[in-house]
Amino acid sequence: MVSRRNVMKAGATAGAAALVTTTAAAAARGSTPSATPAHGTHTGHGKTAHVAAVAAPFAVRMPIPPVQKPIASVANTDFYVVSTRKAQVEILPGTRTEVLTYDGLFPGPTFRVKTGRLAVIAHSNHLDMPTAVHVHGGHTPSSSDGFPTDVLDPGKSRIYSYPNKQRAATLWYHDHAHHMEAEHVFRGLAGFFLIDDPAQAELRLPTGNYDIPIMLRDARFADDASLIFEHDDFQFRNTILVNGKPQPYFPVAARKYRLRFVNASNLRTFTLRLGNDAEVAQIASDGGLLAGPTPIRSWSLTPGERVEIVVDFGAFPVGSQVFLDDAVAGPVLRFDVNRAAADTSRVPDRLSTIPALPAATKERAFTLNFNPSTGQFLINGQQFDAERVDTEIKRNTTEVWTVTNGDTLFGIPHNFHPHLVQFRVLARNGQPPAPGEAGVKDTISVGPGETVRLQATFGPYLGRYVYHCHMIDHSASGMMAQMKIVP
Ligand SMILES: [Cu+2]
């Protein structure tokens, strides 16, 4: 249950000063995070009051999670096995932290699959609690979608099947077990799930060693480097991890790179820019390539969202250091331009064709709000109930959903994520979407008082799926509902 006290804290900017004092004590511990009061902006629930810096920043190289190898491949199918288990990993330098992992890795192994090629993944659960695996953004049959109560019990295995009949995109997978998803993801159950389309090779975007997935999240550590999870703890998760490491560096060649950003935080929104304010090209959002590249100098990701950019490090002399800055956290990653390199990649003016919008046959409205008198997070006034179908949808029909964030009083941000489908944004607050939101999406920011209009075609699979706020401490506290796709 989310406490009313936590939400009340959101309105109290005085809390920021108290937090700085707390981490000043932590700074005295040496290798543990120290306070950086300069980042003490506090503008509401979900935005952290301060951010911890590592004692020796930019001393650890950013790892790239290894790509999972199939145990077998036939005709049009690849078979994988994964075990979910506890592991001790080094996150803060010189310490060990117990985390929950897929295959012992933090973040988990990367699945790199091809569009239209079936991936069959046998998950075994070696934890002492149920899990449910969800591929975020996947067009997945209901039986493999990780419905919150369709769990994988301790000591058991089950098969998840992913047809991958969808656009190439940067997806990710994470736990979705009922009421436990927030803690499970916080403790490490997340990884990349990248769908490639060989037909995109002709675009000549950067590939291979120049195509880098970057998973950002925040975390809260105790003095002994253990992770502390408390529900709705938006203020104390003040260490930013980049592919599982705090403030790492990453060596790059002086050439173009494709960077795929995933925000795997439970509550934190990142607003990123390169430290020199360089213009970069946004090439993709949640559902894959945009129609064409969009020049940007900053980009935001609410939890679960993805943005892909191409950066030309060839614009910087060899020897340069280029920081990735977050608006609240400050520098989170340093790129070291350490060598020259040939570069035949490019960013073409046309990247993809965004599918046409079919005529919608149904309109629905959803309001997300927090009830301060009960401490419940709600959709249309109700908490999630796995036994209740909230929305019944005829298969392969197209609907327009209007999603409103009713939490203006406490200024609580939310976002919105339906399973099974990806959508288009028709409007934000009555205005056409910005170019970066005009492609294919599956997760959308809905700030306090904001309204977004979305359009999706619900298919091809039948069965039950959830839609929810992806600030997953909120969804774990009830801000989730159930849709059933029927013939
Ligand atoms: Cu929310």
Side-chain angles (χ1 to χ4, degrees):
M1 181 66 68
V2 172
S3 77
R4 182 179 180 178
R5 178 181 51 83
N6 268 355
V7 173
M8 296 308 288
K9 273 194 289 193
T13 47
L19 289 171
V20 167
T21 307
T22 305
T23 44
R29 295 194 301 264
S31 66
T32 47
S34 62
T36 51
H39 299 131
T41 51
H42 184 76
T43 53
H45 186 108
K47 295 190 178 171
T48 311
H50 71 291
V51 168
V54 290
F58 310 112
V60 175
R61 182 183 173 124
M62 179 180 77
I64 307 292
V67 174
Q68 192 80 338
K69 292 186 176 62
I71 56 159
S73 294
V74 298
N76 204 30
T77 305
D78 297 309
F79 298 88
Y80 301 88
V81 294
V82 183
S83 70
T84 303
R85 60 177 190 258
K86 287 181 182 172
Q88 304 278 335
V89 299
E90 182 172 341
I91 301 174
L92 303 176
T95 67
R96 307 298 281 179
T97 299
E98 182 176 283
V99 290
L100 307 183
T101 72
Y102 297 110
D103 274 0
L105 299 170
F106 179 88
T110 295
F111 289 91
R112 193 130 205 173
V113 304
K114 289 194 169 53
T115 189
R117 197 171 162 83
L118 181 68
V120 175
I121 304 178
H123 277 271
S124 59
N125 179 2
H126 301 280
L127 302 178
D128 54 5
M129 61 189 90
T131 60
V133 185
H134 171 62
V135 171
H136 180 123
H139 302 344
T140 306
S142 176
S143 58
S144 288
D145 196 55
F147 190 85
T149 54
D150 184 15
V151 295
L152 170 52
D153 283 320
K156 302 285 198 225
S157 297
R158 72 179 281 175
I159 303 289
Y160 290 82
S161 295
Y162 305 102
N164 301 316
K165 291 179 180 168
Q166 60 187 99
R167 306 177 95 229
T170 298
L171 310 186
W172 62 299
Y173 66 104
H174 63 79
D175 191 73
H176 224 299
H178 193 26
H179 290 315
M180 291 304 297
E181 66 271 42
E183 181 163 2
H184 284 175
V185 173
F186 180 83
R187 293 194 183 279
L189 293 184
F192 295 102
F193 192 102
L194 309 178
I195 303 180
D196 290 326
D197 181 352
Q200 288 181 358
E202 65 186 27
L203 295 174
R204 292 189 9 233
L205 292 164
T207 58
N209 292 333
Y210 309 108
D211 175 354
I212 309 294
I214 298 174
M215 184 172 281
L216 296 162
R217 57 160 294 178
D218 58 9
R220 176 183 177 184
F221 292 92
D223 289 356
D224 64 358
S226 61
L227 282 171
I228 298 175
F229 177 82
E230 288 180 12
H231 258 295
D232 211 29
D233 179 14
F234 58 91
Q235 288 182 306
F236 291 98
R237 294 173 188 164
N238 52 26
T239 299
I240 309 301
L241 304 179
V242 186
N243 286 349
K245 300 289 187 187
Q247 287 186 301
Y249 71 90
F250 188 69
V252 292
R255 54 153 290 159
K256 288 187 283 301
Y257 277 74
R258 177 179 187 164
L259 305 179
R260 303 170 181 254
F261 291 95
V262 173
N263 182 354
S265 300
N266 287 31
L267 293 167
R268 179 185 292 268
T269 293
F270 289 100
T271 299
L272 303 169
R273 56 191 265 283
L274 294 182
N276 55 7
D277 258 333
E279 185 177 279
V280 300
Q282 183 181 352
I283 59 166
S285 60
D286 307 334
L289 293 175
L290 302 174
T294 299
I296 53 172
R297 292 186 192 276
S298 78
W299 58 103
S300 286
L301 299 101
T302 64
E305 283 191 292
R306 287 87 71 208
V307 165
E308 295 183 43
I309 64 171
V310 172
V311 183
D312 189 358
F313 291 108
F316 309 105
V318 170
S320 301
Q321 296 179 335
V322 182
F323 288 90
L324 178 70
D325 280 346
D326 173 67
V328 172
V332 295
L333 170 64
R334 190 184 74 198
F335 296 101
D336 294 348
V337 185
N338 71 349
R339 63 196 189 277
D343 188 1
T344 57
S345 71
R346 56 174 193 155
V347 181
D349 291 338
R350 280 210 53 79
L351 291 167
S352 79
T353 300
I354 305 297
L357 287 166
T361 53
K362 184 95 182 167
E363 290 246 4
R364 301 183 201 266
F366 302 92
T367 298
L368 313 180
N369 80 285
F370 172 74
N371 183 336
S373 61
T374 61
Q376 295 175 332
F377 285 88
L378 309 168
I379 296 181
N380 284 355
Q382 292 192 288
Q383 279 198 298
F384 178 66
D385 180 348
E387 302 306 313
R388 185 189 71 233
V389 173
D390 300 279
T391 302
E392 194 169 280
I393 303 170
K394 198 164 162 49
R395 174 165 61 178
N396 295 332
T397 59
T398 297
E399 302 197 351
V400 171
W401 288 15
T402 300
V403 183
T404 300
N405 176 341
D407 282 321
T408 51
L409 182 57
F410 296 116
I412 304 175
H414 299 296
N415 68 7
F416 189 75
H417 170 58
H419 288 206
L420 175 64
V421 297
Q422 291 180 314
F423 54 73
R424 297 281 300 285
V425 181
L426 301 180
R428 175 182 288 284
N429 304 324
Q431 301 297 314
E437 289 190 336
V440 180
K441 292 279 292 170
D442 57 48
T443 308
I444 187 79
S445 168
V446 197
E450 285 197 312
T451 292
V452 293
R453 276 168 65 79
L454 317 172
Q455 175 163 335
T457 301
F458 291 82
Y461 306 110
L462 298 172
R464 58 183 184 161
Y465 295 89
V466 291
Y467 51 94
H468 60 92
C469 178
H470 214 286
M471 295 184 168
I472 56 175
D473 291 33
H474 298 177
S475 55
S477 300
M479 193 172 268
M480 181 158 66
Q482 180 173 181
M483 59 183 175
K484 188 174 182 186
I485 316 300
V486 299

